[in-house]
Amino acid sequence: MAFDATTAVSIAYPIGLGIAALGSGMGLGKAVASAMEAMGRQPEASGKIQTGMIIGCAFIEALTIYALISVFLVK
Amino acid sequence: MDSGTFTVQQISNQSFILLADEAATGSETAQETAAAAAAHGEALHHEGEAVEAAHGEEAHAAGEAHEKDSHPPEVPNFMTLIHAKYFHHSTKVFDQAFLGLEGLIFSAIGVIFVTVLVRRAMRRPTLIPSPLQNLIEVYVEGMHKFFGGILGPKHIDRFFPFLIALFTFILVNNLMGLVPLMKPSTSMIQTTGALAILTFIYVQYVGIKDNGIGGWLYHLAGSPQGVIMWVMSPLFFVLHVIGELAKPLSLALRLFGNVLGKDILLGAFVVIGLTIMYAFLGNYTWFGIPLQLPFFFLGLLLGLIQAVVFALLASIYILLMLPHDDHEHGHDEAHHAEAH
């Protein structure tokens, strides 16, 4: 198994994807945690908090999706 | 027979054609074509596999390997089935390029469906609405309230048609991925790129029209107000332009990645279902264990969320481009209206 570009890319892509997933996991955990806390403090506002949380989670998730689709765009 | 990976399109297309032929002729020839299909389907692997050594026909099959081999698995839709049955071995230009029309035809199907639905519902609007008219009215009023909360009542009537058309188009196209034999056209970068470019052009047009060209450039330069800011304004200008160009890119990639990811997820689980069915029956059929069913709910949720996010971001970009004192005023009015 010669260590050429294809092998290097095949090793690097999953590691990069794992790091992206790690980052988004931490970000999403923080976002949802603060949303839960806010909902606990003021239950009557939980509709708006939930909407905002979903939209924020979509943004954070998008960063991992960029990493995922870069795999499919190259190979 | 060794089991290897094979693309769902090949296996499903072969099995579909196999079943169509079986209905026309007899079942004995179907057995032979099943064996040929098995060899054909197994020989056309992903390049890294070296399992084809056992089959004699693999030279013949590998000779007509199509370039769809290295693509991630996707569930076949009615256009790929038509292509496999009629156009596969033809050399006419239209038949070869038939699959390039996928995005166009599926978007057109979505648009025609929505148009026919709304025209039928609003043909004779009555004060006590029929169920279909009620549905359309609830939808439009809900969207009006949602976007009105962001844009403010002053600007909402001007931008509402664009935003609701964007939202409906993306929602219908995302949900078409869940209908069997259809493909979401937003899973192709062409559609989402076109939507993002359209939004970008529209936002810049609104900026130029409302602020004037000088005002638009002033806004892009960061609205400098003192000597220090004027000196730094070229830097702000460059940063702002890069930010403005990154916005449609991120819009397109977010929608495309989410919808294509869900499509690939469905395709991978369909392949697993077909493989399990093959292990049971020892032969290829066109149905397998429906393991991909739980992911339809994920597809529903993600399709809806991505449509909301796209339209919401478009409305926020429009809001940022409008003259800023009006934007503050609109927010206050909206907050007052919501507090009542």
Side-chain angles (χ1 to χ4, degrees):
Chain A
M1 179 173 107
F3 192 72
D4 55 351
T6 314
T7 312
V9 159
S10 310
I11 295 180
Y13 260 134
I15 294 181
L17 199 53
I19 295 178
L22 179 76
S24 93
M26 288 175 57
L28 279 172
K30 202 157 160 37
V32 173
S34 58
M36 290 291 145
E37 190 179 355
M39 280 199 231
R41 283 172 170 234
Q42 197 179 358
E44 56 265 13
S46 56
K48 307 178 73 157
I49 295 175
Q50 192 170 2
T51 307
M53 177 189 92
I54 294 282
I55 292 175
C57 287
F59 286 128
I60 304 173
E61 199 74 41
L63 298 170
T64 313
I65 304 261
Y66 297 162
L68 176 68
I69 61 171
S70 71
V71 176
F72 292 121
L73 283 181
V74 170
K75 172 79 168 113
Chain B
M1 287 193 221
D2 296 347
S3 67
T5 59
F6 41 86
T7 65
V8 174
Q9 282 190 332
Q10 289 151 8
I11 180 61
S12 296
N13 294 345
Q14 294 291 339
S15 308
F16 182 77
I17 298 170
L18 164 69
L19 276 177
D21 289 340
E22 181 181 277
T25 65
S27 62
E28 185 161 17
T29 51
Q31 284 295 84
E32 293 172 31
T33 46
H40 187 80
E42 276 196 332
L44 294 172
H45 277 183
H46 204 73
E47 299 112 21
E49 313 241 331
V51 196
E52 310 92 67
H55 300 281
E57 292 104 315
E58 89 272 12
H60 164 69
E64 42 177 307
H66 12 93
E67 49 287 290
K68 288 207 179 290
D69 257 322
S70 57
H71 282 211
E74 265 188 38
V75 184
N77 46 64
F78 71 87
M79 283 187 69
T80 55
L81 291 177
I82 293 177
H83 179 85
K85 188 159 168 58
Y86 297 115
F87 295 154
H88 199 64
H89 300 290
S90 144
T91 51
K92 291 195 265 194
V93 172
F94 174 73
D95 300 337
Q96 293 282 334
F98 184 63
L99 286 182
L101 287 177
E102 265 181 346
L104 185 64
I105 289 189
F106 286 112
S107 308
I109 289 176
V111 168
I112 290 174
F113 169 71
V114 171
T115 307
V116 164
L117 189 72
V118 174
R119 292 288 282 248
R120 277 193 59 164
M122 306 298 275
R123 183 176 308 184
R124 242 173 308 232
T126 57
L127 200 54
I128 303 181
S130 61
L132 201 57
Q133 180 186 348
N134 200 13
L135 177 71
I136 306 289
E137 282 186 2
V138 162
Y139 178 66
V140 172
E141 283 183 17
M143 287 295 123
H144 196 95
K145 203 165 67 160
F146 180 65
F147 289 121
I150 299 169
L151 279 177
K154 192 162 184 271
H155 297 117
I156 180 65
D157 286 320
R158 188 173 150 204
F159 302 115
F160 183 62
F162 172 69
L163 289 173
I164 193 173
L166 198 64
F167 179 80
T168 310
F169 179 78
I170 296 176
L171 184 67
V172 168
N173 273 312
N174 285 351
L175 293 182
M176 275 204 319
L178 305 174
V179 178
L181 290 184
M182 293 237 203
K183 169 186 161 136
S185 69
T186 39
S187 75
M188 312 170 71
I189 188 66
Q190 291 93 337
T191 313
T192 59
L195 285 170
I197 291 176
L198 175 71
T199 309
F200 173 68
I201 291 178
Y202 186 64
V203 166
Q204 303 307 319
Y205 166 74
V206 164
I208 293 182
K209 189 164 159 203
D210 269 4
N211 300 331
I213 297 237
W216 176 60
L217 289 174
Y218 184 75
H219 177 80
L220 274 186
S223 310
Q225 298 253 331
V227 177
I228 298 185
M229 292 188 72
W230 270 106
V231 165
M232 296 204 337
S233 69
L235 177 68
F236 277 140
F237 188 74
V238 169
L239 284 179
H240 221 121
V241 164
I242 293 180
E244 290 285 324
L245 286 177
K247 284 174 189 172
L249 188 69
S250 79
L251 278 178
L253 282 182
R254 184 183 300 114
L255 181 61
F256 165 67
N258 271 295
V259 179
L260 184 69
K262 189 209 52 141
D263 231 15
I264 291 174
L265 189 66
L266 283 181
F269 273 90
V270 165
V271 168
I272 293 178
L274 284 172
T275 313
I276 293 182
M277 190 56 101
Y278 166 71
F280 278 160
L281 295 183
N283 200 353
Y284 290 118
T285 52
W286 57 275
F287 55 87
I289 310 230
L291 286 175
Q292 79 270 18
L293 277 183
F295 297 101
F296 278 122
F297 299 105
L298 182 72
L300 265 180
L301 186 68
L302 272 186
L304 183 63
I305 290 179
Q306 288 309 313
V308 167
V309 164
F310 199 106
L312 194 72
L313 275 178
S315 69
I316 289 179
Y317 295 156
I318 291 177
L319 184 64
L320 285 178
M321 269 298 178
L322 293 172
H324 279 284
D325 40 0
D326 284 338
H327 134 247
E328 303 273 350
H329 194 62
H331 258 294
D332 283 323
E333 281 188 357
H335 284 160
H336 274 290
E338 275 175 346
H340 285 246

